Each structure stands twice: as structure tokens, then as C-alpha cells.
Amino acid sequence: MAQAKRIPTQAAGKLTQRDYARLNALVVEDAKEMASLIRSFLRELGVKNIWSVGTGEDAFEVLNTHKVDIAIIDDLLPPLDGLSVVRAVRSADDRKLAPMPVVYVTHLRTQESILNARDAGVTEILSKPYSFQQLVTRMDAAILKPRELIRSEKFVGPDRRRRRGDAPTERRRAADRFELD
């Protein structure tokens, strides 16, 4: 599988238009209208190299033949749903592909579905409907704040633990808000 290039970390915590222009993005979305919307968002950011496919099988074809820096993957319909694609990417023998940032787009908002996505190895989760700015925030977090790839018997994916301030939003559980002296 092709190797993704490393995007430099920006001091401000946001990618510049020049950074976006160098990105190779893969959009895996089975709804043509949503795929078109995501592509237009990416073009607005300045992303020039965008591959867009509608199935998990087609996603693997792109991943095997092109350098992809970030993937935006939808729930997808069976037989190969979005989380199956993520699991396959994370467990790939190609250790250069496995750490690729993945923004998972879903219409499911239950705690169980979010935990399933996390456990599958997604980098960031984005719930539908979402705004242009929410997509930008998730992409910036996935690329500029990479988490170590963890490989264990039951899990392959970005370290599930976040340091304070690493989350793309400021919402935190009340239990996480205490300070240690």
C-alpha cells in the first residue's frame, strides 16, 4: 500500500491553505449528494487531490494504489460497512497505512455507536448533520494532534486516551474536570 506523507504541525493548531493543498484525501461515502458536499468542502479548503468512492471495496483499491493522507469514511451500507473498512485499515500489514487519520462520519449518535467507532480505531468522529467548520476541526485534530497507534490483541488504532485539551471540542465529562495539585 502507498505511503502517506507527513504534514507539518502548525503552531496555531490549524492547517493552512498550503497544508490542505498538499493533502491527498479519500472520501468514502455511498450517498452521492453527501459525497459531493464533502468534496466541495475539501475543495473550499484547498485540497487538490481527492478520491471519492462509494464502497469499502473501492476504498481499498484507492488505498492500494495511491498515497492517502486522510480518509473521511461514512457508515456505508453492507457488505463492507464503514467500521469494517476502518478495522481493515488499522490491521493492515502495511504499517504506513494503519496510522492514517480517519474521520468517521455517522448518523448514529448513541453512546454505543460512538464506542463502537472508537473501538474500531477511528481517529475522529463526526455526527450528521455537521457543518463545514466541524469537518475542519476534526481534520485539523486528526492531522495535527496524532495519537500513538496502539496494537494489542483486541485493538488496533489511535490511543484512546486524550490529554487535556486534545479533544476537538471543549465538551468534557464532569468527572474529567478535576485538577491535580
Side-chain angles (χ1 to χ4, degrees):
M1 295 189 180
Q3 177 183 357
K5 63 179 163 271
R6 190 83 169 133
I7 303 298
T9 301
Q10 301 298 313
K14 294 185 179 186
L15 293 173
T16 65
Q17 193 161 13
R18 175 183 274 166
D19 295 329
Y20 282 115
R22 293 189 342 231
L23 278 180
N24 295 317
L26 171 62
V27 175
V28 187
E29 169 64 70
D30 51 6
K32 291 181 182 182
E33 297 81 16
M34 279 303 297
S36 177
L37 179 65
I38 295 169
R39 285 192 311 270
S40 67
F41 280 174
L42 293 173
R43 280 193 294 273
E44 180 71 24
L45 288 169
V47 178
K48 296 186 182 343
N49 298 318
I50 304 168
W51 292 276
S52 184
V53 298
T55 68
E57 294 85 355
D58 291 341
F60 289 117
E61 187 173 321
V62 170
L63 291 168
N64 284 316
T65 57
H66 295 55
K67 294 177 184 176
V68 175
D69 301 307
I70 189 166
I72 300 168
I73 301 177
D74 180 64
D75 291 337
L76 299 177
L77 295 173
L80 192 57
D81 65 44
L83 291 182
S84 296
V85 173
V86 174
R87 283 186 202 94
V89 165
R90 294 297 184 225
S91 62
D93 288 335
D94 184 343
R95 294 201 178 237
K96 293 177 179 117
L97 176 64
M100 175 185 64
V102 174
V103 176
Y104 181 65
V105 179
T106 181
H107 68 282
L108 303 172
R109 295 176 176 213
T110 65
Q111 182 178 9
E112 179 183 8
S113 63
I114 292 169
L115 292 175
N116 286 339
R118 180 204 65 184
D119 292 346
V122 303
T123 312
E124 296 292 336
I125 301 171
L126 187 58
S127 295
K128 293 178 185 177
Y130 58 88
S131 69
F132 173 78
Q133 187 56 51
Q134 289 170 320
L135 177 62
V136 170
T137 301
R138 297 310 188 289
M139 288 177 61
D140 285 352
I143 293 169
L144 295 176
K145 296 178 182 175
R147 290 177 276 147
E148 179 183 357
L149 188 71
I150 304 297
R151 288 185 179 272
S152 72
E153 189 175 306
K154 295 183 179 183
F155 175 76
V156 178
D159 189 341
R160 297 174 188 170
R161 298 168 294 181
R162 293 184 188 263
R163 290 178 177 74
R164 186 174 277 299
D166 271 358
T169 65
E170 290 302 313
R171 286 186 294 162
R172 306 290 288 184
R173 293 188 321 243
D176 291 340
R177 291 197 174 120
F178 66 90
E179 295 290 330
L180 296 175
D181 292 330

